[in-house]
Amino acid sequence: GESVGLHLPTLSVQEGDNSIINCAYSNSASDYFIWYKQESGKGPQFIIDIRSNMDKRQGQRVTVLLNKTVKHLSLQIAATQPGDSAVYFCAEWNQAGTALIFGKGTTLSVSS
Amino acid sequence: EPEVTQTPSHQVTQMGQEVILRCVPISNHLYFYWYRQILGQKVEFLVSFYNNEISEKSEIFDDQFSVERPDGSNFTLKIRSTKLEDSAMYFCASSETRVHGELFFGEGSRLTVL
């Protein structure tokens, strides 16, 4: 079946450090992945996406890496700031393209 | 910036009562979704909707749930007879395209069933 999960439920970093949040997926046919950020009391917010024909994509302070061989993707946040504190979810579309499935989430806590 | 809006932000209801959660998707979007998030847990897919039909529904979306797009702008989720375990945040989302499209989420409606 299709499932998306994250390796660690929580990650605590110091302000200014780089953060790496990991996600493993099981559907080898998945071809599009999205990272969402959810701040407390709010809806998920799009951060960055990546298609399976890429292995790396960069945004502003964020980079997503995709390793299709081991079905793993990661979100790297450079110079983490207190405002980055949130729950981060990876998500993938199901095979039919009719549902975006979320993983379990990693809570990132940034201390200054 | 266009956004998805949801009402009410919080609803408290008695077990067995009917609840309707409302959403106004982004105006040029064609695909609509409802998700549920029990406190502290992951965002769970409920249903997707396109062209006035359900495209996909999860096991959670049983006969007690229904969706409707009554007037071309609103997208509603109805829970016919609420149970205690329906207490959760319900998020509406919309997208312009399917599969490789980004879902835009509303701020959620918190449902508390007593």
Side-chain angles (χ1 to χ4, degrees):
Chain A
E2 297 156 347
S3 68
V4 181
L6 290 171
H7 292 303
L8 290 174
T10 61
L11 177 65
S12 297
V13 300
Q14 292 284 323
E15 182 178 1
D17 286 352
N18 296 330
S19 303
I20 299 175
I21 299 170
N22 296 304
C23 178
Y25 63 94
S26 62
N27 180 10
S28 56
S30 293
D31 63 355
Y32 182 62
F33 304 89
I34 309 178
W35 281 98
Y36 279 88
K37 172 185 180 183
Q38 186 180 28
E39 295 175 336
S40 182
K42 295 192 172 184
Q45 236 185 328
F46 173 91
I47 304 173
I48 192 167
D49 58 0
I50 189 166
R51 298 192 182 196
S52 60
N53 61 353
M54 305 169 72
D55 51 22
K56 180 178 179 178
R57 188 155 191 233
Q58 286 186 291
Q60 190 178 17
R61 281 200 308 116
V62 294
T63 301
V64 55
L65 300 177
L66 176 62
N67 184 333
K68 294 180 287 294
T69 304
V70 295
K71 291 186 285 187
H72 179 272
L73 71 158
S74 65
L75 177 72
Q76 300 178 359
I77 304 173
T80 315
Q81 301 167 0
D84 295 326
S85 293
V87 182
Y88 290 81
F89 296 94
C90 63
E92 65 173 334
W93 284 95
N94 67 353
Q95 283 194 290
T98 51
L100 184 67
I101 306 301
F102 282 71
K104 289 182 182 175
T106 290
T107 300
L108 176 65
S109 299
V110 183
S111 51
S112 45
Chain B
E1 187 177 316
E3 58 181 16
V4 175
T5 57
Q6 290 185 241
T7 54
S9 55
H10 188 193
Q11 179 152 358
V12 182
T13 190
Q14 294 291 324
M15 192 169 56
Q17 294 295 304
E18 176 182 284
V19 159
I20 298 176
L21 304 179
R22 292 183 168 80
C23 170
V24 179
I26 294 172
S27 62
N28 64 329
H29 286 186
L30 301 175
Y31 300 87
F32 313 112
Y33 311 82
W34 282 101
Y35 285 80
R36 179 183 84 174
Q37 187 177 34
I38 294 169
L39 185 64
Q41 298 187 24
K42 70 176 182 178
V43 179
E44 297 176 290
F45 170 78
L46 291 178
V47 67
S48 58
F49 191 86
Y50 169 71
N51 201 25
N52 284 318
E53 288 185 342
I54 289 175
S55 306
E56 183 85 41
K57 57 184 181 178
S58 71
E59 291 174 354
I60 303 168
F61 194 89
D62 61 21
D63 291 345
Q64 293 300 310
F65 290 87
S66 62
V67 288
E68 196 177 30
R69 188 154 160 82
D71 56 13
S73 62
N74 289 284
F75 179 51
T76 62
L77 174 70
K78 183 194 291 186
I79 308 174
R80 206 181 330 274
S81 177
T82 50
K83 303 187 283 285
L84 295 176
E85 55 265 37
D86 293 327
S87 295
M89 281 290 282
Y90 288 81
F91 292 104
C92 174
S94 68
S95 66
E96 195 173 0
T97 60
R98 204 181 74 164
V99 185
H100 292 162
E102 172 192 344
L103 262 61
F104 292 80
F105 284 82
E107 295 286 83
S109 292
R110 177 173 299 284
L111 176 64
T112 302
V113 183
L114 302 177

